[in-house]
Amino acid sequence: MNAIVTPSQTVGPFFHIGLERSAVSNLAAGVVAEPIEIMGRVLDGDGQPVIDALIEIWQANADGKYAHPEDTQGKPLQTNFKGYGRLATDANGAFRFTTIKPGPVPGPIGFSQAPHIAVNVFMRGLLKQLVTRIYFLDDPRNGDDAVLNRVPPERRPTLLAKPVAGNRALLTWGIVLQGENETVFFDC
C-alpha cells in the first residue's frame, strides 16, 4: 500500500488553549543581569489585534551563550537564565516578556551577530510558524550584522525594539502580519 501525502492543516483553536499551560514570560527570574521587559502587540493587516497568537522567543544570555548543548563556546552559562519563553497574546493582542539583553553570538563564517532575540509566531491560519528577530535600537553592532544588513534599510525598523519614554529597561516591539509596516519575516 502506498501512502499519499495529505494537505497540511492550519493551526486550530486547540493549539492556543493547549499551550497556555506551558507559558514562560519571565526568562530572567533570579538572574543577576539587569532585566529588560519587551512588550508589544500582534496586529493583522487591518491593524486589529490577533488574540490567539502564540509568541516564542529564543536567545543567548548576556555573554552571548545559548543554554543549549550544541553551543560549545567557552562562555559561561548564567544560573537561572532560561533563554526560552512562550506566551499567548491576550484579548488586545498584547504580549510582555521579562528577559535580559543578549550578548553577541557567532554568525556565519566567523562573523559576530548583533545581540538579538529569535521570535516564532504561531496562530490559526498558518501552515508554518512565522520567524523574525528582535534587535535593539542604537546597538553599535547592528551595522555589522549579516542578517540585518540583508534587510532593506526602510524595512529594518520593524525589527528594532525601542525604549519607552527613554526607559532602557522597558522596550516596545510589535508584530504586524501584513500590509503597511509589515514585520520582516525570514524563510527558515
Side-chain angles (χ1 to χ4, degrees), residues 123-188:
M123 59 179 273
R124 67 179 152 74
L126 295 179
L127 297 177
K128 186 178 174 199
Q129 79 269 18
L130 299 173
V131 178
T132 189
R133 286 182 169 192
I134 301 171
Y135 287 91
F136 299 88
L137 183 69
D138 297 331
D139 190 300
R141 296 164 285 207
N142 287 346
D144 296 327
D145 187 274
V147 174
L148 192 56
N149 281 319
R150 297 190 105 194
V151 175
E154 66 275 7
R155 304 263 337 267
R156 290 180 196 158
T158 70
L159 300 175
L160 299 174
K162 299 165 185 73
V164 174
N167 182 349
R168 294 174 47 110
L170 181 59
L171 306 171
T172 184
W173 176 82
I175 299 168
V176 178
L177 297 173
Q178 63 182 5
E180 190 173 341
N181 299 316
E182 176 181 335
T183 301
V184 171
F185 298 108
F186 301 103
D187 290 328
C188 294

Side-chain angles (χ1 to χ4, degrees), residues 48-158:
Q48 297 301 307
V50 177
I51 62 171
D52 59 354
L54 186 86
I55 310 301
E56 282 185 354
I57 62 173
W58 293 84
Q59 69 172 88
N61 66 20
D63 293 312
K65 181 168 178 75
Y66 291 100
H68 192 280
E70 289 183 20
D71 187 338
T72 58
Q73 299 179 82
K75 298 175 181 176
L77 286 173
Q78 287 176 290
T79 305
N80 298 326
F81 181 68
K82 294 178 181 67
Y84 165 81
R86 173 187 283 162
L87 191 59
T89 54
D90 67 15
N92 294 312
F95 59 88
R96 188 176 192 137
F97 289 99
T98 301
T99 187
I100 59 174
K101 184 176 178 184
V105 296
I109 319 168
F111 291 103
S112 181
Q113 296 183 62
H116 67 276
I117 298 173
V119 180
N120 288 312
V121 181
F122 300 90
M123 59 179 273
R124 67 179 152 74
L126 295 179
L127 297 177
K128 186 178 174 199
Q129 79 269 18
L130 299 173
V131 178
T132 189
R133 286 182 169 192
I134 301 171
Y135 287 91
F136 299 88
L137 183 69
D138 297 331
D139 190 300
R141 296 164 285 207
N142 287 346
D144 296 327
D145 187 274
V147 174
L148 192 56
N149 281 319
R150 297 190 105 194
V151 175
E154 66 275 7
R155 304 263 337 267
R156 290 180 196 158
T158 70

